[in-house]
Amino acid sequence: MNTANLTRSETAARSAAVTVRGYRVELDLSSAADPSKADFATTTTVEFDATVERTWLDFLGPSVESVTVNGAAVAVEYDGARLVLGALAETNVVVVRGTGAYSRSGEGLHRFLDPVDGQTYLYTQYEPADARRVFACFEQPDMKAPFTFAVTAPTGWAVVSNRPFAAIQDNGVVQNVEFSPTLPISTYITAIAAGPYHRVESAWVRGALTVPLGIYCRASLARYLDADTILEVTKQGLDFFAEHFDYPYPWGKYDQVFVPEYNLGAMENPGLVTFTEAYVFRGAATAAQYEGRANTILHEMAHMWFGDLVTMVWWDDLWLKESFADYMGALASAEATEWTDAWVAFANRRKAWAYLQDQLPTTHPIVADITDLEAAKLNFDGITYAKGASVLKQLVAYVGRAEFFAGVRRYFRAHAFGNTTLDDLLTELSADSGRDLAGWARAWLQTTGMSTLTFEDGAIVQSDPRPHRLAIGLYDFDAAGELVIRERVELDIAAERTPVALAAAPLRLLNDGDLTYAKVRLDADSLATVEASLDRVADPLARGLIWSALWNATRDGDLGAQRYLVMARDFAPTETNTALLTAVLANASFTIGHYLPDPARARWRGEWLDSCWATLHSAVPGSGHQLAWARATAAAATADGRRANDIRAILTDQAAPVGLALDPDLRWSLWTALAATGEAHAEDLDAELERDDTASGRTAHVRALAARPLAQVKASAWDSALRDTTLTNDHIDAIIDGFRAGARRDLIARYDGEYFAALRAVWNERSIEIARRIVIGLFPAAESLDGVDGWLAANADAPSALRRLVVEQRDHLARDVRVRDVN
């Protein structure tokens, strides 16, 4: 048994027998800037009550030097994951002295060396269970306790944690920073960041409450940090949640730190939220990027209440925090910030993630059956986030907004600093709404899949019937030729077929307003209207729902791929919402690469590249749309080299489109396109690295080198991805991306067999984060299912989390093959 993979049953037994009173964690990071030092000293003092004589602490580190139990030194019983504690009394004080390892995978305490200035930066990332990589602990969400952190670090470094510092002693070489104790929190949301971070300060004030605000990033990124914009969204969010939650912000301060080589978008550590530094834009950014960052800021802020203040007992109820945060992030964006169209991106892009996940054979209910930590790690998915948020949006319409928020407020007051399950939430929501929500929960939270809604012969027909509150929009042309809503019909449906009398209209849009969670098909007349006049639909949410319907029909093989591409080619250039535009551009590229048979694929690669190139040059100079089309051009040119000379002219400043911000990231995208088609060589890429010798530049350089269409390059990339354990998480991704660039099956098909042969070893020898990237990223894009089916048949005993990933990749491949056959 892998003792690092904690199970639900054993952790439930542990929390029933052990009550944690508090932790003191001491970390010696004074030698972190020395790259030859791979480890750090960690000391945990934990106080707890116990009704059993033996239990265990979790720790993943190179060694445990000593353990004392109630003042007495005891023999170290440590298997590399669990530290056994014996001879326990009713009340206990345990001290563990051990050695932790700096991470290069983004799990635990990650260490990063900035190539720009040679400075070292540290940050922690723990969810779901990597605090044990840094200190010994009871690693499960229902064993909350106060934490006191004490950190030794080089003088001059910023050292921050969940709480403000209580005392600092500095001898001019190292500083000892002790932080105030936290309120009771789970291990996975404790946090430390340390290094010469650039800091911007502010404060949020509401009545008698003042919350200090801090924004942090690496010093070399400080010139790109638009702190004022980030702080504006932060204050707007705190105002919104203070008004709607009626529970004062409980964590004292609110710091946000943008960190390198980050595995997630962000993490909701109370008082110290971490974000990927991809949100610090090094050049021009589209409105969709700013909107996405604002949504993430507000998503993480909602977690201060949903997830941090009130936490799920176990990962089965992960949705209790993630679905709510996803919903609240969109709601607050739309109602408290300039991004009033936030529900458009949610309907079109966020729900696309849910629809994709919910059609896989591994789909699961929103309230999932999570038996162990490996399963938990894989359930941070489109079901838990986007489907859950979609269902919550429907719930608000069902019970009423005022009643919903009244129940939420009572939920916070009843369970503050505690742990909950689904039943606890439903009890509070039912009280004000007067509705019995048990049936609703069974229909939406405890089932899988989705309905597909169509309008046929005077009735709404739904597959997989379930209750929906639904609106139907009837759209007609106004005097200016715009397609605008003429009538809106709202109704409840539950049966497979529901008759409804609708007036004739050029466009009937089911689920108008995006009230429910379902795929929608356009009837024949409406599809004809859309094919001729999609650009005339005035309302961006309606356009988003139409684009979503078209994309789902294409993925399912119900709409011809070339019909979708014609609409993308004809209407994307006039799409004004950049979130929708970005999605359409990505979907069109995916359609060409995955859903077209070979002859049509080759023709459309050229047509799509020409369309992107033309629109790049006709777009408003300096606009976000011009930038979006430039990125689309780079993506299209990765598989088609006919514009290579034109792209090189842009990169050498001979023929750049007027107004185009040729920032480092866009330059690397264009160079990678040239490299993937054999039109750029190592010398070109090395010269670009001299121009942009930053962390992002080095990662892009790795990607572009691996993209070159040479057998020896692919062999080297393959070997590095599978065997080089010194690579960072970002560099593994870059190598895999480069290996796959250009869709050169003639060069990489030879590795299909080796991929399947290596899977078990990769899973056993690498961390789950890195193993997941390799399993997904290198999965063969074959024309047949034989290889994967053979592996699944021969590996029925493989770890369930590994099999889940392979089964999902098989399903994606099966869809590709099936839809190509249809087309």
Side-chain angles (χ1 to χ4, degrees):
M1 176 185 176
N2 175 9
T3 62
N5 187 23
L6 302 173
T7 69
R8 177 177 56 200
S9 57
E10 64 185 346
T11 55
R14 181 167 65 173
S15 62
V18 174
T19 302
V20 189
R21 300 301 179 188
Y23 289 89
R24 177 180 175 83
V25 177
E26 301 169 41
L27 303 175
D28 184 356
L29 311 179
S30 57
S31 61
D34 183 350
S36 69
K37 304 291 187 182
D39 305 323
F40 58 90
T42 172
T43 301
T44 301
T45 303
V46 56
E47 301 180 28
F48 60 93
D49 300 337
T51 59
V52 292
E53 291 187 359
R54 288 171 66 85
T55 189
W56 81 94
L57 287 169
D58 304 297
F59 182 63
L60 298 175
S63 62
V64 174
E65 277 65 59
S66 67
V67 179
T68 64
V69 177
N70 299 321
V74 300
V76 175
E77 294 184 55
Y78 178 55
D79 65 0
R82 302 189 186 199
L83 179 63
V84 177
L85 305 177
L88 297 176
E90 182 177 345
T91 299
N92 303 276
V93 178
V94 171
V95 181
V96 179
R97 291 181 171 83
T99 300
Y102 293 113
S103 169
R104 296 292 278 151
S105 68
E107 303 156 294
L109 181 57
H110 190 83
R111 179 167 64 173
F112 173 82
L113 178 65
D114 190 337
V116 174
D117 54 17
Q119 296 289 344
T120 298
Y121 292 87
L122 307 175
Y123 66 87
T124 56
Q125 172 56 38
Y126 297 151
E127 191 175 37
D130 285 320
R132 56 189 172 153
R133 295 182 184 273
V134 178
F135 58 91
C137 59
F138 296 105
E139 186 78 284
Q140 56 192 87
D142 63 338
M143 297 183 75
K144 287 185 166 183
F147 287 81
T148 299
F149 288 98
V151 179
T152 302
T155 292
W157 277 20
V159 184
V160 287
S161 185
N162 303 89
R163 293 282 289 153
F165 69 85
I168 298 178
Q169 295 179 331
D170 193 331
N171 64 11
V173 178
V174 297
Q175 55 179 323
N176 297 301
V177 183
E178 180 159 328
F179 294 93
S180 301
T182 71
L183 295 165
I185 57 176
S186 304
T187 53
Y188 77 91
I189 50 176
T190 61
I192 296 287
Y197 284 98
H198 170 74
R199 174 183 172 89
V200 177
E201 297 180 352
S202 187
W204 174 75
V205 179
R206 189 178 180 92
L209 179 63
T210 298
V211 176
L213 307 177
I215 309 293
Y216 294 82
C217 73
R218 288 188 287 127
S220 64
L221 288 180
R223 62 189 172 123
Y224 304 115
L225 181 67
D226 54 334
D228 289 346
T229 304
I230 295 167
L231 287 168
E232 179 183 24
V233 172
T234 301
K235 293 174 184 179
Q236 289 168 334
L238 288 168
D239 281 335
F240 181 86
F241 293 128
E243 176 184 345
H244 286 78
F245 292 167
D246 194 29
Y247 191 105
Y249 175 77
W251 306 112
K253 67 181 180 70
Y254 197 76
D255 288 337
Q256 299 172 93
V257 54
F258 295 84
V259 297
E261 297 180 335
Y262 199 51
N263 289 332
L264 309 174
M267 181 64 204
E268 68 266 19
N269 315 304
L272 184 61
V273 182
T274 42
F275 294 84
T276 172
E277 65 181 22
Y279 284 131
V280 179
F281 306 126
R282 294 202 303 159
T286 65
Q289 288 176 275
Y290 284 105
E291 178 183 342
R293 183 179 67 182
N295 187 286
T296 301
I297 290 171
L298 297 169
H299 173 116
E300 302 309 321
M301 189 180 293
H303 274 311
M304 300 298 110
W305 292 266
F306 286 105
D308 295 358
L309 179 67
V310 184
T311 311
M312 67 274 159
V313 171
W314 179 247
W315 301 101
D316 305 64
D317 282 306
L318 176 62
W319 81 282
L320 280 173
K321 69 185 189 77
E322 295 302 347
S323 298
F324 273 88
D326 227 40
Y327 171 73
M328 291 295 171
L331 182 69
S333 292
E335 298 187 5
T337 76
E338 67 178 288
W339 306 109
T340 55
D341 282 342
W343 287 117
V344 176
F346 179 87
N348 181 262
R349 301 178 68 182
R350 202 65 171 170
K351 289 176 78 170
W353 181 27
Y355 294 145
L356 182 151
Q357 192 82 39
D358 214 7
Q359 293 176 88
L360 293 173
T362 57
T363 189
H364 56 86
I366 295 171
V367 180
D369 181 26
I370 304 299
T371 58
D372 57 32
L373 284 180
E374 286 192 355
K377 180 76 171 178
L378 299 186
N379 257 46
F380 290 81
D381 61 16
I383 304 297
T384 301
Y385 284 73
K387 181 178 181 180
S390 303
V391 168
L392 284 177
K393 187 180 181 186
Q394 183 187 44
L395 176 63
V396 173
Y398 180 59
V399 303
R401 176 166 169 149
E403 291 78 7
F404 174 81
F405 276 104
V408 164
R409 295 181 193 114
R410 187 167 35 252
Y411 177 70
F412 292 148
R413 291 193 293 271
H415 301 287
F417 305 107
N419 297 85
T420 59
T421 64
L422 168 64
D423 289 342
D424 298 311
L425 176 67
L426 294 183
T427 296
E428 305 304 338
L429 293 179
S430 298
D432 272 288
S433 69
R435 291 182 180 268
D436 178 7
L437 297 180
W440 174 87
R442 283 192 299 273
W444 286 104
L445 301 180
Q446 297 168 334
T447 61
T448 62
M450 76 202 78
S451 307
T452 299
L453 307 179
T454 58
F455 182 72
E456 300 175 7
D457 300 325
I460 297 175
V461 178
Q462 63 164 324
S463 65
D464 191 10
R466 62 190 71 205
H468 298 272
R469 181 65 180 171
L470 186 69
I472 306 170
L474 304 179
Y475 287 77
D476 206 343
F477 293 97
D478 66 8
E482 298 291 298
L483 267 172
V484 297
I485 192 161
R486 185 184 68 200
E487 183 181 353
R488 196 166 189 255
V489 179
E490 290 198 18
L491 70 161
D492 294 313
I493 66 171
E496 183 176 350
R497 182 180 180 86
T498 304
V500 57
L502 296 177
L507 171 61
R508 300 183 186 93
L509 183 58
L510 304 186
N511 197 28
D512 192 50
D514 195 37
L515 298 183
T516 195
Y517 174 79
K519 288 195 296 184
V520 167
R521 293 287 192 259
L522 298 172
D523 62 68
D525 292 341
S526 297
L527 179 57
T529 299
V530 164
E531 285 189 290
S533 307
L534 176 52
D535 58 337
R536 310 309 296 170
V537 178
D539 177 40
L541 180 55
R543 289 200 311 279
L545 294 170
I546 292 168
W547 279 119
S548 177
L550 296 172
W551 175 236
N552 283 321
T554 304
R555 288 191 72 244
D556 293 343
D558 288 346
L559 177 69
Q562 296 192 65
R563 290 179 73 183
Y564 179 83
L565 289 169
V566 168
M567 285 184 274
R569 182 195 64 200
D570 292 349
F571 299 129
T574 56
E575 177 53 65
T576 57
N577 184 288
T578 54
L580 295 181
L581 173 61
T582 303
V584 173
L585 294 176
N587 291 342
S589 177
F590 191 92
T591 298
I592 294 168
H594 291 258
Y595 297 153
L596 290 179
D598 284 336
R601 182 184 304 159
R603 177 172 62 83
W604 267 101
R605 277 178 174 160
E607 287 193 22
W608 183 246
L609 175 58
D610 289 343
S611 179
C612 292
W613 181 261
T615 312
L616 163 62
H617 286 79
S618 64
V620 175
S623 66
H625 285 70
Q626 184 189 48
L627 180 59
W629 284 102
R631 293 169 177 169
T633 297
T638 301
D640 190 308
R642 280 175 283 183
R643 290 282 177 181
N645 290 336
D646 296 323
I647 290 173
R648 186 175 283 274
I650 291 177
L651 288 166
T652 55
D653 297 323
Q654 297 176 37
V658 175
L660 180 64
L662 203 60
D663 58 62
D665 295 333
L666 179 56
R667 290 183 60 86
W668 277 116
S669 295
L670 295 169
W671 277 117
T672 301
L674 294 181
T677 53
E679 299 293 340
H681 307 291
E683 296 79 14
D684 298 310
L685 306 177
D686 292 345
E688 187 67 18
L689 181 62
E690 290 184 16
R691 180 185 182 124
D692 181 35
D693 192 10
T694 63
S696 297
R698 290 189 178 189
T699 300
H701 183 251
V702 168
R703 180 182 299 109
L705 285 174
R708 292 171 295 157
L710 300 171
Q712 64 270 30
V713 167
K714 301 304 182 185
S716 176
W718 176 265
D719 188 69
S720 294
L722 279 188
R723 299 180 179 87
D724 188 350
T725 58
T726 68
L727 291 172
T728 68
N729 45 0
D730 279 6
H731 281 194
I732 284 180
D733 280 350
I735 287 172
I736 291 173
D737 289 348
F739 180 80
R740 302 294 292 265
R744 291 295 301 269
R745 282 289 295 166
D746 57 318
L747 291 174
I748 65 176
R750 69 189 68 181
Y751 299 102
D752 291 1
E754 188 176 344
Y755 168 86
F756 290 111
L759 282 180
R760 297 289 288 260
V762 166
W763 194 261
N764 291 333
E765 296 167 8
R766 310 296 283 271
S767 73
I768 190 170
E769 177 63 38
I770 298 301
R772 184 187 63 81
R773 292 170 186 238
I774 293 172
V775 172
I776 294 174
L778 292 178
F779 185 86
E783 296 295 326
S784 163
L785 299 172
D786 292 347
V788 62
D789 285 345
W791 186 90
L792 288 168
N795 289 273
D797 63 337
S800 58
L802 171 58
R803 281 187 60 88
R804 171 179 168 169
L805 290 176
V806 175
V807 166
E808 289 178 349
Q809 297 312 301
R810 182 206 183 276
D811 194 72
H812 293 316
L813 178 59
R815 181 182 291 267
D816 289 357
V817 172
R818 182 174 65 252
V819 177
R820 279 199 298 269
D821 287 345
V822 169
N823 283 290

